[in-house]
């Protein structure tokens, strides 16, 4: 049994409390939050867990070997460092840090201490995304030309981070897994309509060395909820729609073929408009899968799918995008700002 504690039992942290309270192989020892109402809610899911209001108590807890950090993003780096220094394994929610140099320091510390450091990029544990990654890496789509992701909603407005840092980590993590390469440059434009200095809507363009391009649109100021990722390849195309439970994945046998020999331009490209296939996906709750993976990694000392290094790669993209935002959309070399 892995003895786990959760720091932060608010909007998202309460879901971690629920997941770990019933997770085989884990024993939820403590929940920490400065908000009494959050602790009262947590007690309903985990009545045997100690309720703590001081984070330092959690750092010093001898009966806790692993901690989930679901606190505000601005505190992730500092708190993760304290936990790693105390010899605890850590699952830190996204983004793992607000600066690449802080994320890299966490990776180095975890590696030096032999601790498991995992980042809560939950979409990497979504069964449909797992299938999507398998299809792309298996070559079903051919060479990936470009990807575009949309994550918009008329939803919760954040005051401690903009839409880029709040929403984009999900899709950036998935795209990096699909392309399996570090971006070359990032350009971003956004606007602050509700709060000065905090962008509500952001458009990000990412370019890779092999010519692959990815486009991200994130906003919490949109009339409808939309969560889609489209991947266009040289052989086929696929769409992941998280809002369509019956057909989350649609594989399109569409594109252009180049015949081996041609006499004129009209014969050079031939349109292919084939079938649409809906791959079967056995759904499981992504958070439950993520939490179980963390417990397995702690028990076996394996490297998580969304390791600290994977989290660092995502933060580098976000940091470059933030710098581009500040420069009015000027492309920024990825990794050059950290």
């Amino acid at each position: 049994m892995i003895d786990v504690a959760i720091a932060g039992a608010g909007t998202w942290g309460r879901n971690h409390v629920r997941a770990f309270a019933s997770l085989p192989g884990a024993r939820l020892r403590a929940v920490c939050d400065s908000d009494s109402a959050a602790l009262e809610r947590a007690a309903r899911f985990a009545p045997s867990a100690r309720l703590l209001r001081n984070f330092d108590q959690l750092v010093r807890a001898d009966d806790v070997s692993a901690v989930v950090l679901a606190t505000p993003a601005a505190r992730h780096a500092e708190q993760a460092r304290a936990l790693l220094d105390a010899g605890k394994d850590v699952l830190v929610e996204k983004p793992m840090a607000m600066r690449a140099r802080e994320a890299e320091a966490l990776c180095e510390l975890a590696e030096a201490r032999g601790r498991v450091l995992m980042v809560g990029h939950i979409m990497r544990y979504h069964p449909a995304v797992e299938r999507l990654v398998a299809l792309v890496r298996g070559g079903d789509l051919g060479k990936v030309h470009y990807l575009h992701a949309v994550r918009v909603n008329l939803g919760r407005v954040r005051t401690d981070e903009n839409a880029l840092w709040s929403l984009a980590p999900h899709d950036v993590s998935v795209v990096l897994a699909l392309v399996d390469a570090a971006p070359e440059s990032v350009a971003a434009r956004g606007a602050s309509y509700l709060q000065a200095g905090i962008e509500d809507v952001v458009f990000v363009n990412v370019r890779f060395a092999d010519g692959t391009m990815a486009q991200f649109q994130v906003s919490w100021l949109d009339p409808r909820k939309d969560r889609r990722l489209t991947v266009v390849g040289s052989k086929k195309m696929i769409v992941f729609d998280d809002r369509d439970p019956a057909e989350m994945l649609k594989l399109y046998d569409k594109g252009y073929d180049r015949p081996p020999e041609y006499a004129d331009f009209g014969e050079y490209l031939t349109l292919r408009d084939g079938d649409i296939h809906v791959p079967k996906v056995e759904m499981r709750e992504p958070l439950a899968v993520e939490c179980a993976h963390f417990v397995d990694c702690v028990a076996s000392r394996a490297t998580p799918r969304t390791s600290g290094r994977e989290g660092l790669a995502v933060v580098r993209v976000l940091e470059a995008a933030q710098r581009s935002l500040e420069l009015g959309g000027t492309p920024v070399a990825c990794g050059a700002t950290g």
Side-chain angles (χ1 to χ4, degrees), residues 40-290:
E40 290 175 9
R41 286 193 301 266
R44 298 172 198 155
F45 291 108
S48 62
R50 296 199 311 283
L51 303 180
L52 307 175
R53 294 181 62 100
N54 189 309
F55 181 76
D56 290 337
Q57 292 177 282
L58 192 57
V59 174
R60 296 192 302 266
D62 293 333
D63 62 341
V64 171
S65 61
V67 177
V68 177
L69 267 181
T71 52
R75 304 183 65 186
H76 286 175
E78 171 194 355
Q79 292 180 332
R81 170 174 286 279
L83 293 167
L84 292 169
D85 268 330
K88 303 187 189 302
D89 299 308
V90 178
L91 165 55
V92 55
E93 266 303 332
K94 57 80 187 169
M96 67 182 291
M98 301 299 289
R99 299 180 186 276
R101 64 172 178 266
E102 294 174 340
E104 187 166 22
L106 290 178
C107 293
E108 292 172 353
L109 177 59
E111 291 160 3
R113 297 294 176 86
R115 295 295 93 198
V116 171
L117 176 60
M118 176 171 155
V119 185
H121 292 152
I122 192 171
M123 295 308 296
R124 292 289 308 282
Y125 300 93
H126 193 300
V129 172
E130 291 178 325
R131 185 70 185 278
L132 171 61
V133 172
L135 288 168
V136 172
R137 290 185 177 179
D140 291 56
L141 277 69
K143 165 71 170 64
V144 174
H145 290 326
Y146 73 92
L147 315 90
H148 61 91
V150 178
R151 186 171 293 271
V152 298
N153 190 19
L154 188 61
R156 181 184 174 206
V157 176
R158 306 296 295 264
T159 58
D160 55 341
E161 58 187 357
N162 61 17
L164 170 71
W165 289 89
S166 179
L167 302 176
H170 296 296
D171 298 310
V172 171
S173 174
V174 174
V175 166
L176 292 184
L178 292 171
V179 179
D180 196 23
E184 198 171 53
S185 66
V186 180
R189 283 184 176 272
S192 306
Y193 297 111
L194 301 178
Q195 304 173 91
I198 301 178
E199 289 83 3
D200 316 294
V201 56
V202 180
F203 296 86
V204 182
N205 183 270
V206 177
R207 291 183 178 272
F208 296 84
D210 66 351
T212 301
M213 181 174 65
Q215 181 77 18
F216 303 88
Q217 176 188 353
V218 293
S219 172
W220 53 52
L221 183 61
D222 206 85
R224 61 188 297 268
K225 189 171 186 177
D226 195 357
R227 294 178 179 175
R228 282 179 294 117
L229 172 63
T230 302
V231 186
V232 176
S234 59
K235 294 180 180 178
K236 296 180 181 180
M237 310 173 185
I238 194 166
V239 175
F240 164 58
D241 187 348
D242 197 21
R243 300 286 294 161
D244 187 349
E247 299 180 348
M248 284 192 175
L249 289 178
K250 288 184 180 179
L251 183 62
Y252 295 81
D253 186 11
K254 294 185 176 184
Y256 284 93
D257 293 328
R258 290 181 171 87
E261 297 180 4
Y262 59 93
D264 56 45
F265 182 75
E267 297 178 2
Y268 179 58
L269 293 177
T270 304
L271 178 64
R272 182 181 70 259
D273 191 4
D275 295 334
I276 300 175
H277 174 61
V278 179
K280 184 178 180 181
V281 177
E282 295 291 343
M283 274 306 299
R284 295 161 291 160
E285 184 190 9
L287 181 62
V289 176
E290 176 188 276

